[in-house]
Amino acid sequence: MKIIVIGATHAGTFATQQILTEHPDYDVHVYERNTNLSFLSCGIALWVGGHVSSPEKMFYSSPEALSALGAHMHMQHDVLSVDTKAKQVVVKDLVSGSTTTETYDKLVVNTGSAPLTPPIPGIDDPRVHLAKNWSHAKTLKDLTPEIKSVIVIGAGYIGAELAEQYALNGKQVTLIDALPRVLAKNFDSDITDRVEKLYTDHGVKLALSEKVVGFEGGDQLTVTTDKGSYSADIAVLSIGFRPHTDLVRDQLETLPNGALITDEYMRTSDPDVFAAGDSATVHYNPTGKADYIPLATNAVRQGILVGHNIDKPTVAYMGTQSTSAVELFGMTIAASGLTTEGAKARGVEAASVTIEQDYRPDFMLTTAKILVSLTWDPETHRVLGGSVFSSHDVSQSANALSIAIQANMTIEQLSMVDMFFQPNFDQPLNWLNAVAMEAVAKANK
C-alpha cells in the first residue's frame, strides 16, 4: 500500500512512526517543505529566556530517524495540489524547482496551522515577528540580546510566556490583546486577575481590550491600537492560528474555519484521506462536539491513531479535554476542560465554584495557597472542567481533572474519589476533593 503523508511536525511524525511500526512493508512517502521536523515550538519562550540546554534537543525526531523505519523522506518538498478523486498530489522540489505528480492509496493530511496575520497596515514591517516554527525561534533568540523593548501582541499561552520571559530578562514589555483579560480563553477571571497582577508587578504594561490597527516605522516600531499607540524595538505577533488546509478544504468536510472534520478513526469525509494535528478537528469531551484546539498533545495522539487505523478501523479516538499548563513568574497555572467563559461561548450551561486553601497542613514549616476552580453541568452534575493556581507545583492536578472529565465523573464522585494524604504533599482532604465537595454543597442548595 502506498501512503503519502503531507507534513511532519507532530502528527505527521507520529503517524509515520506508527504506520511503519505496524506495517513495515507499506510504501510511505513523507513530504515536508522545511528542512527539519518535530520541532517543539512550545519551547520557544523558554529558549528565548535562556532555559534550554541545547536547541537541538527541541527536536525529538529527524528525517534520518523516519528513514531508518522505512519512510521515503522528501524534505524541502511542497505539495502544490491534491486531487482526492484521482488520488493524486502535485509536488514541487523546492531545491531543484522540478514538479512531479504522485499517486496514493491513502493520504494523511498533517498540514498543521499557520499564524494569523490579518491585513493590518504595516504588518509586513521586518520588525514584526512571528513565533511558530524553528526559523521564527532562531530569529527571536538572536534578537533578544540586541533589543531593549518589545511589544507582544496576543495574550494566549505563547504571548503570555514570551512577555514573561522578556520581562524577566530586563526588557521593557507591552502586552496587547483585543480581549479584556490575559489568558482569557484558558482561565476565568478568578485566576487571570492574579496573573495580570504578576505582569504589572514585573513592570509589564498591559493593553487589554485593544485591537491593533496599524504598524508604523521609524527609529522604533510603533503599534497603533483602537485606543492608543506603543513603541518598541520589535513586536511579536501571536494572536492565534488557522488550520492550513487550503489544499483540500474544497474537497472534504470542514468546520467554518477550515479544520478538517474527522471521525473517531481519524478519517475525513473521504475514507481514504486521514487528518490529524492542527489541520484537523478534535472531539472535545466536555461538549461532545467537534472543536478546533491546536495543541501538540492532540496532534501526537491523533497521529498515533492514524497509524493504528490506516489499514482498517481499529482504535477509536477517546477525545480530548484540552488539558494544559503554564508557569508564569514562578506560579503554576493549569487547567482541563471548560471554564465558565468557555462554556458560555459554546452555548453550554455550566455552574462553577472556586476555593482557596493551603496545599498542605499548617503545622508544616512552610506551605502555600492554592486556588482551585471547578465547573460542572448543573443538570447531570458531570464534571466539565477545572483549573488550579499556586506557587506550589500543582500542575498534575490538571491531569487528574482530565481523567475525571474523560470518565464522565460527577462532582459527587470526584468529591469522594480516593486520593492519598501525606503532610509533605497535601491535606487530609485533597484540594480536588475539597473543591468538588464545595460544588456538591452549592449544587444542592
Side-chain angles (χ1 to χ4, degrees), residues 382-397:
R382 183 170 64 94
V383 176
L384 297 178
S387 57
V388 291
F389 175 91
S390 180
S391 60
H392 181 61
D393 183 0
V394 291
S395 57
Q396 292 303 313
S397 294

Side-chain angles (χ1 to χ4, degrees), residues 321 323 336 398-409:
Q321 286 69 251
T323 309
S336 185
N399 286 332
L401 286 165
S402 178
I403 294 169
I405 301 167
Q406 182 87 60
N408 289 314
M409 292 180 69

Side-chain angles (χ1 to χ4, degrees), residues 242-320:
R242 65 172 181 85
H244 207 300
T245 57
D246 295 348
L247 285 170
V248 293
R249 71 167 62 193
D250 293 333
Q251 304 174 68
L252 303 170
E253 291 182 7
T254 69
L255 290 182
N257 72 345
L260 296 169
I261 297 173
T262 63
D263 67 9
E264 59 185 340
Y265 299 106
M266 307 317 302
R267 299 173 299 187
T268 67
S269 52
D270 181 332
D272 289 328
V273 180
F274 292 72
D278 287 8
S279 60
T281 59
V282 298
H283 179 79
Y284 190 41
N285 287 325
T287 63
K289 297 179 180 179
D291 211 323
Y292 185 63
I293 305 174
L295 288 173
T297 49
N298 293 334
V300 168
R301 288 167 178 78
Q302 289 180 323
I304 293 171
L305 285 169
V306 168
H308 286 320
N309 299 308
I310 195 70
D311 179 48
K312 59 183 178 181
T314 303
V315 181
Y317 183 30
M318 293 173 65
T320 180

Side-chain angles (χ1 to χ4, degrees), residues 169-180:
N169 278 268
K171 313 302 179 184
Q172 296 177 0
V173 182
T174 302
L175 180 57
I176 300 175
D177 200 286
L179 295 175

